[in-house]
Every structure is written in C-alpha cells, then in structure tokens.
Tab-separated table of all heavy atoms in Angstrom:
chain	number	residue	atom	x	y	z
J	300	PHE	N	2.009	-5.559	10.642
J	300	PHE	CA	1.897	-4.770	9.403
J	300	PHE	C	3.150	-3.932	9.167
J	300	PHE	O	3.545	-3.723	8.023
J	300	PHE	CB	0.645	-3.895	9.450
J	300	PHE	CG	-0.604	-4.613	9.029
J	300	PHE	CD1	-1.348	-5.330	9.950
J	300	PHE	CD2	-1.021	-4.602	7.711
J	300	PHE	CE1	-2.496	-6.013	9.568
J	300	PHE	CE2	-2.164	-5.280	7.310
J	300	PHE	CZ	-2.903	-5.995	8.247
J	301	ALA	N	3.779	-3.478	10.256
J	301	ALA	CA	4.991	-2.676	10.120
J	301	ALA	C	6.149	-3.493	9.553
J	301	ALA	O	7.092	-2.938	8.972
J	301	ALA	CB	5.384	-2.087	11.472
J	302	ARG	N	6.084	-4.819	9.685
J	302	ARG	CA	7.143	-5.682	9.164
J	302	ARG	C	7.022	-5.887	7.647
J	302	ARG	O	7.974	-6.309	6.992
J	302	ARG	CB	7.089	-7.046	9.850
J	302	ARG	CG	7.375	-7.017	11.331
J	302	ARG	CD	8.827	-6.754	11.624
J	302	ARG	NE	9.666	-7.931	11.399
J	302	ARG	CZ	10.966	-7.969	11.585
J	302	ARG	NH1	11.605	-6.865	11.947
J	302	ARG	NH2	11.652	-9.073	11.376
J	303	LEU	N	5.858	-5.624	7.094
J	303	LEU	CA	5.637	-5.846	5.666
J	303	LEU	C	6.137	-4.673	4.830
J	303	LEU	O	6.015	-3.513	5.242
J	303	LEU	CB	4.142	-6.054	5.393
J	303	LEU	CG	3.510	-7.302	5.998
J	303	LEU	CD1	1.995	-7.256	5.830
J	303	LEU	CD2	4.086	-8.554	5.354
J	304	ARG	N	6.664	-4.987	3.670
J	304	ARG	CA	7.030	-3.921	2.743
J	304	ARG	C	5.758	-3.313	2.168
J	304	ARG	O	4.807	-4.038	1.833
J	304	ARG	CB	7.893	-4.475	1.607
J	304	ARG	CG	9.238	-5.030	2.050
J	304	ARG	CD	10.114	-5.389	0.841
J	304	ARG	NE	9.505	-6.416	0.026
J	304	ARG	CZ	9.657	-7.722	0.231
J	304	ARG	NH1	10.385	-8.158	1.244
J	304	ARG	NH2	9.094	-8.602	-0.571
J	305	PRO	N	5.687	-1.993	2.030
J	305	PRO	CA	4.505	-1.384	1.409
J	305	PRO	C	4.231	-2.011	0.048
J	305	PRO	O	5.157	-2.265	-0.727
J	305	PRO	CB	4.896	0.096	1.279
J	305	PRO	CG	5.896	0.309	2.368
J	305	PRO	CD	6.675	-0.979	2.473
J	306	GLY	N	2.954	-2.284	-0.211
J	306	GLY	CA	2.575	-2.892	-1.474
J	306	GLY	C	2.484	-4.406	-1.437
J	306	GLY	O	2.080	-5.019	-2.426
J	307	THR	N	2.866	-5.025	-0.303
J	307	THR	CA	2.787	-6.483	-0.190
J	307	THR	C	1.329	-6.914	-0.107
J	307	THR	O	0.629	-6.536	0.835
J	307	THR	CB	3.536	-6.977	1.065
J	307	THR	OG1	4.891	-6.553	1.008
J	307	THR	CG2	3.465	-8.497	1.173
J	308	PRO	N	0.819	-7.692	-1.063
J	308	PRO	CA	-0.603	-8.062	-1.037
J	308	PRO	C	-0.923	-8.989	0.144
J	308	PRO	O	-0.142	-9.883	0.475
J	308	PRO	CB	-0.804	-8.796	-2.368
J	308	PRO	CG	0.388	-8.466	-3.201
J	308	PRO	CD	1.505	-8.227	-2.250
J	309	LEU	N	-2.086	-8.764	0.735
J	309	LEU	CA	-2.589	-9.616	1.812
J	309	LEU	C	-3.906	-10.238	1.367
J	309	LEU	O	-4.887	-9.535	1.124
J	309	LEU	CB	-2.817	-8.802	3.088
J	309	LEU	CG	-3.597	-9.501	4.217
J	309	LEU	CD1	-2.845	-10.717	4.742
J	309	LEU	CD2	-3.907	-8.519	5.349
J	310	PHE	N	-3.924	-11.566	1.224
J	310	PHE	CA	-5.148	-12.298	0.951
J	310	PHE	C	-5.748	-12.738	2.277
J	310	PHE	O	-5.055	-13.293	3.129
J	310	PHE	CB	-4.856	-13.546	0.097
J	310	PHE	CG	-4.498	-13.266	-1.328
J	310	PHE	CD1	-3.206	-12.916	-1.675
J	310	PHE	CD2	-5.451	-13.378	-2.333
J	310	PHE	CE1	-2.861	-12.670	-3.000
J	310	PHE	CE2	-5.124	-13.131	-3.664
J	310	PHE	CZ	-3.820	-12.772	-3.997
J	311	ILE	N	-7.050	-12.520	2.437
J	311	ILE	CA	-7.734	-12.936	3.665
J	311	ILE	C	-9.209	-13.159	3.339
J	311	ILE	O	-9.762	-12.470	2.465
J	311	ILE	CB	-7.571	-11.888	4.792
J	311	ILE	CG1	-8.113	-12.403	6.121
J	311	ILE	CG2	-8.197	-10.543	4.410
J	311	ILE	CD1	-7.731	-11.529	7.312
J	312	GLY	N	-9.838	-14.115	4.017
J	312	GLY	CA	-11.240	-14.415	3.726
J	312	GLY	C	-12.118	-13.193	3.771
J	312	GLY	O	-12.822	-12.865	2.807
J	313	LYS	N	-12.071	-12.483	4.891
J	313	LYS	CA	-12.805	-11.226	5.038
J	313	LYS	C	-12.007	-10.349	5.988
J	313	LYS	O	-11.594	-10.806	7.057
J	313	LYS	CB	-14.210	-11.457	5.596
J	313	LYS	CG	-15.051	-10.172	5.683
J	313	LYS	CD	-16.461	-10.476	6.132
J	313	LYS	CE	-17.300	-9.210	6.265
J	313	LYS	NZ	-17.413	-8.451	5.003
J	314	ALA	N	-11.792	-9.109	5.625
J	314	ALA	CA	-10.982	-8.205	6.433
J	314	ALA	C	-11.851	-7.465	7.444
J	314	ALA	O	-12.717	-6.681	7.061
J	314	ALA	CB	-10.245	-7.210	5.541
J	315	LYS	N	-11.610	-7.733	8.724
J	315	LYS	CA	-12.281	-6.985	9.769
J	315	LYS	C	-11.786	-5.534	9.743
J	315	LYS	O	-10.725	-5.228	9.195
J	315	LYS	CB	-11.991	-7.611	11.137
J	315	LYS	CG	-12.533	-9.026	11.328
J	315	LYS	CD	-14.043	-9.028	11.409
J	315	LYS	CE	-14.589	-10.310	12.015
J	315	LYS	NZ	-14.244	-11.542	11.299
J	316	PRO	N	-12.541	-4.602	10.345
J	316	PRO	CA	-12.118	-3.187	10.323
J	316	PRO	C	-10.695	-2.955	10.815
J	316	PRO	O	-9.971	-2.123	10.256
J	316	PRO	CB	-13.151	-2.512	11.235
J	316	PRO	CG	-14.389	-3.340	11.061
J	316	PRO	CD	-13.903	-4.750	10.921
J	317	VAL	N	-10.254	-3.697	11.845
J	317	VAL	CA	-8.887	-3.500	12.359
J	317	VAL	C	-7.865	-3.839	11.288
J	317	VAL	O	-6.833	-3.167	11.154
J	317	VAL	CB	-8.655	-4.344	13.635
J	317	VAL	CG1	-8.751	-5.851	13.348
J	317	VAL	CG2	-7.309	-4.010	14.255
J	318	ILE	N	-8.136	-4.851	10.478
J	318	ILE	CA	-7.223	-5.232	9.398
J	318	ILE	C	-7.240	-4.169	8.308
J	318	ILE	O	-6.190	-3.762	7.790
J	318	ILE	CB	-7.608	-6.603	8.819
J	318	ILE	CG1	-7.547	-7.685	9.900
J	318	ILE	CG2	-6.721	-6.955	7.633
J	318	ILE	CD1	-6.182	-7.903	10.490
J	319	ARG	N	-8.424	-3.697	7.954
J	319	ARG	CA	-8.546	-2.647	6.940
J	319	ARG	C	-7.787	-1.388	7.357
J	319	ARG	O	-7.059	-0.786	6.552
J	319	ARG	CB	-10.023	-2.312	6.724
J	319	ARG	CG	-10.779	-3.311	5.875
J	319	ARG	CD	-10.427	-3.147	4.427
J	319	ARG	NE	-11.145	-4.080	3.574
J	319	ARG	CZ	-10.824	-4.328	2.321
J	319	ARG	NH1	-9.796	-3.701	1.767
J	319	ARG	NH2	-11.512	-5.192	1.599
J	320	ASP	N	-7.960	-0.986	8.608
J	320	ASP	CA	-7.325	0.245	9.082
J	320	ASP	C	-5.803	0.138	9.052
J	320	ASP	O	-5.105	1.058	8.606
J	320	ASP	CB	-7.798	0.566	10.509
J	320	ASP	CG	-9.266	0.976	10.564
J	320	ASP	OD1	-9.834	1.291	9.497
J	320	ASP	OD2	-9.842	0.961	11.666
J	321	LEU	N	-5.265	-0.996	9.524
J	321	LEU	CA	-3.819	-1.171	9.526
J	321	LEU	C	-3.276	-1.298	8.107
J	321	LEU	O	-2.192	-0.783	7.794
J	321	LEU	CB	-3.451	-2.405	10.352
J	321	LEU	CG	-3.596	-2.239	11.869
J	321	LEU	CD1	-3.460	-3.583	12.578
J	321	LEU	CD2	-2.556	-1.248	12.408
J	322	ALA	N	-4.022	-1.967	7.245
J	322	ALA	CA	-3.590	-2.107	5.853
J	322	ALA	C	-3.522	-0.741	5.171
J	322	ALA	O	-2.578	-0.449	4.424
J	322	ALA	CB	-4.535	-3.034	5.104
J	323	ASP	N	-4.510	0.101	5.429
J	323	ASP	CA	-4.495	1.455	4.858
J	323	ASP	C	-3.292	2.247	5.389
J	323	ASP	O	-2.606	2.944	4.624
J	323	ASP	CB	-5.792	2.185	5.191
J	323	ASP	CG	-6.981	1.655	4.414
J	323	ASP	OD1	-6.760	0.929	3.421
J	323	ASP	OD2	-8.132	1.944	4.800
J	324	LYS	N	-3.055	2.118	6.681
J	324	LYS	CA	-1.960	2.875	7.303
J	324	LYS	C	-0.605	2.484	6.726
J	324	LYS	O	0.253	3.349	6.477
J	324	LYS	CB	-1.976	2.651	8.815
J	324	LYS	CG	-0.865	3.387	9.557
J	324	LYS	CD	-0.987	3.196	11.065
J	324	LYS	CE	0.133	3.931	11.803
J	324	LYS	NZ	0.000	3.773	13.279
J	325	TYR	N	-0.405	1.189	6.482
J	325	TYR	CA	0.898	0.707	6.028
J	325	TYR	C	0.935	0.411	4.525
J	325	TYR	O	1.875	-0.192	4.035
J	325	TYR	CB	1.301	-0.533	6.830
J	325	TYR	CG	1.695	-0.164	8.255
J	325	TYR	CD1	0.759	-0.195	9.282
J	325	TYR	CD2	2.989	0.258	8.549
J	325	TYR	CE1	1.106	0.173	10.580
J	325	TYR	CE2	3.349	0.625	9.839
J	325	TYR	CZ	2.397	0.581	10.846
J	325	TYR	OH	2.752	0.944	12.126
C-alpha cells in the first residue's frame, strides 16, 4: 500500500478488514 500513490483506486472482490485498514491509512 505504501508503494501506491494516494487516491489510486483498488478493485477487489471483497475487502477483508486488513485491506480496509491499510487502504484507509494510505
């Protein structure tokens, strides 16, 4: 997640809590 530019959309079937938390952080 740190490698992504802020605002880069992530498509995923279903976001587990770990994905949600990191996405919010970055």
Side-chain angles (χ1 to χ4, degrees):
F300 276 87
R302 295 288 284 180
L303 295 171
R304 296 188 298 273
T307 302
L309 169 63
F310 288 82
I311 188 169
K313 184 175 178 60
K315 296 290 198 300
V317 64
I318 300 298
R319 282 284 181 194
D320 291 345
L321 287 169
D323 288 345
K324 179 176 180 179
Y325 287 93

